[in-house]
Amino acid sequence: MSVPATARPLEAMAPARTRWMRRSAVWLAAAALLAALPHVVRTSAAVPVMNQMGIAIVFALSYNMLLGQGGMLSFGHAVYFGLGGFIAAHVLNLAGQGVVYLPVPLLPLVGGLGGLCFAALYGSFSTRRAGTVFAMISLGVGEMMAASALIFDKFFGGEEGITANRTKAPLLLGLHFSTDRQVYYLIAFWVLVAAALMYAFSRTPVGRMANAVRDNPERAEFVGYSAQTVRFIAFCAAGFFAGVAGGLFAVNYEILTAANMGLAASGAVLLMTYIGGIGSFVGPILGAILFTFLQSMLSDYTGIWLLYLGLLFLATVLFVPAGLAGALMMHAPAWRAGRLRRLVGPYLVAALAALVAAVGVIGLLEMVHFLVTASPAITTKRLFWTAVPVRTLLPWLAFVALTAAGALALRWAAPRAANALAEASRPAPASAGGGERRP
């Protein structure tokens, strides 16, 4: 019996409707999670850290529009973050004085427009080149703006920066933003809006052509698209959302300095984006959450937390170049085949070996840092919940032994874990009847 011709379009629309419903469910689940988090995590430091994470997520996603989507490695992306923040802070002060009417919830939009304007200015010449030339231009722009922050002190406030007060701004619908929790919901709203818009941009023809320009600009030119125009549009969009993140920063911290648009801030967004993974939309989100968590937690326990972040970045580049999201996606075939349980044993052995090696390396680094910074009269240091006599030989030998044993064990276990993943990801062999055999 033949299928009526009128039924075929409806059947063809079914998969698209299913995908739309799945995506809508993901966004609704994300909104519900953001709304529930302050009620689930009740520690005193949780809300400020989550505010920082939200700002970092928007900033990292905007950077991924450059690097992950457009293939533009930028060392000056914090320029648009900082300029958007400075402009938003000045407008916030004007709103507090009654010069302009602009409630706090709209300030991130002002920061975004500021970032967009400067991105259009600097992108007009920097996007004419790609690769190393673009990276060097972005580095030059970043250094130029960092130096300008100390020259134009009327706008940037010199070394002390500028301050603002969000409680003096006019209200919108009676909403106050005097506490961290109230600011959290504002940041969560803008995280959802910005993430949805950036995801939508990645699905537009310009967003898809940015991927084509990243992979093969000559072929994109051959089919009729200007690679420079596509890079310029992606650059401006990234500058806009970086400015939105800067505006959220101005609302949350009420202070901005030249450091917020310096090389360190540009390096931080590069680290969080690359650690999370530049090959997927969710990668920068994971990287921003992990980076902010480590930055907030490690800085309370050790003075060399930046060294650990650098080691994490090196390990990501060397062993997981696709980032955390890429590592998770590698397990999708095994998950679909129902073979993830086969990975538990090899992964546990490799994780235990990595943990032993990490304990040894951390112990050695912390003892070196102790010898360099501590007074000679102090002989012990708390390491791993134990008082370690750093100025004796035994703890040095113990941590060297842990490092060597962990490294040797990891060298033995890592190939076996990789083989187990390859075996679990292998397609099921075809059965005698022509179909696939269920695992």
Side-chain angles (χ1 to χ4, degrees):
M1 182 178 178
S2 62
V3 179
T6 54
R8 289 173 184 167
L10 295 177
E11 292 176 356
M13 291 175 61
R17 189 184 302 115
T18 303
R19 287 195 297 271
W20 182 84
M21 292 180 65
R22 286 177 179 173
R23 289 170 185 165
S24 301
V26 170
W27 288 106
L28 289 175
L33 177 64
L34 288 174
L37 271 178
H39 302 282
V40 176
V41 187
R42 293 178 174 272
T43 59
S44 58
V47 173
V49 172
M50 287 190 291
N51 288 353
Q52 194 175 349
M53 285 180 179
I55 297 169
I57 286 172
V58 178
F59 193 23
L61 282 173
S62 73
Y63 188 74
N64 195 47
M65 297 177 77
L66 285 181
L67 181 59
Q69 206 168 344
M72 293 176 277
L73 176 62
S74 173
F75 294 112
H77 194 53
V79 167
Y80 314 103
F81 173 88
L83 287 171
F86 273 106
I87 293 172
H90 281 294
V91 174
L92 178 58
N93 286 332
L94 293 175
Q97 298 166 7
V99 178
V100 297
Y101 175 79
L102 194 77
V104 172
L106 300 181
L107 273 173
L109 188 60
V110 174
L113 293 175
L116 173 63
C117 291
F118 282 94
L121 174 63
Y122 296 132
S124 62
F125 57 88
S126 63
T127 55
R128 295 179 182 177
R129 298 289 185 272
T132 305
V133 177
F134 174 84
M136 293 300 102
I137 293 175
S138 69
L139 179 62
V141 170
E143 288 299 303
M144 180 185 70
M145 292 309 301
S148 300
L150 302 178
I151 297 173
F152 303 104
D153 56 349
K154 292 293 184 183
F155 182 79
F156 294 106
E159 294 182 353
E160 298 178 353
I162 62 170
T163 59
N165 189 344
R166 60 177 181 259
T167 60
K168 293 184 178 179
L171 302 181
L172 179 65
L173 302 177
L175 296 174
H176 294 268
F177 297 96
S178 56
T179 66
D180 288 335
R181 183 180 289 260
Q182 292 167 337
V183 175
Y184 167 81
Y185 284 108
L186 174 65
I187 293 176
F189 169 77
W190 275 102
V191 167
L192 271 179
V193 171
L197 290 176
M198 282 186 270
Y199 180 78
F201 178 84
S202 69
R203 315 299 291 180
T204 61
V206 177
R208 295 183 185 278
M209 281 310 300
N211 294 334
V213 169
R214 174 199 62 194
D215 297 334
N216 195 331
E218 290 80 9
R219 179 168 294 182
E221 295 271 4
F222 182 76
V223 298
Y225 287 90
S226 168
Q228 191 269 331
T229 302
V230 172
R231 281 195 294 264
F232 177 74
I233 294 173
F235 190 89
C236 291
F240 171 79
F241 288 108
V244 169
L248 291 173
F249 186 94
V251 171
N252 186 48
Y253 293 102
E254 299 176 302
I255 183 172
L256 277 110
T257 66
N260 295 124
M261 60 180 189
L263 187 59
S266 295
V269 72
L270 170 61
L271 287 179
M272 65 178 74
T273 306
Y274 205 94
I275 289 173
I278 60 175
S280 66
F281 186 79
V282 75
I285 299 175
L286 297 177
I289 293 173
L290 178 64
F291 184 92
T292 307
F293 179 78
L294 293 177
Q295 185 182 32
S296 304
M297 298 296 111
L298 285 182
S299 59
D300 291 338
Y301 294 101
T302 177
I304 55 173
W305 62 274
L306 277 174
L307 176 61
Y308 294 131
L309 285 178
L311 292 175
L312 177 62
F313 178 69
L314 283 178
T316 303
V317 173
L318 290 173
F319 303 112
V320 196
L324 296 176
L328 292 175
M329 292 301 295
M330 287 170 56
H331 295 77
W335 178 73
R336 285 194 293 267
R339 299 171 185 154
L340 283 180
R341 283 178 294 181
R342 300 181 185 180
L343 304 177
V344 174
Y347 276 26
L348 279 179
V349 174
L352 182 61
L355 179 63
V356 171
V359 168
V361 171
I362 291 172
L364 291 173
L365 290 175
E366 290 294 334
M367 289 197 300
V368 170
H369 181 245
F370 178 84
L371 289 180
V372 173
T373 59
S375 169
I378 304 175
T379 59
T380 60
K381 175 179 176 59
R382 298 282 305 176
L383 271 176
F384 304 111
W385 305 279
T386 305
V388 178
V390 178
R391 301 185 190 280
T392 61
L393 183 61
L394 182 60
W396 292 90
L397 293 177
F399 283 119
V400 168
L402 285 175
T403 304
L408 290 174
L410 188 59
R411 186 175 182 181
W412 176 84
R416 285 160 177 78
N419 291 335
L421 175 61
E423 185 67 27
S425 303
R426 188 170 299 168
S431 63
E436 289 191 352
R437 186 182 302 163
R438 299 291 298 173

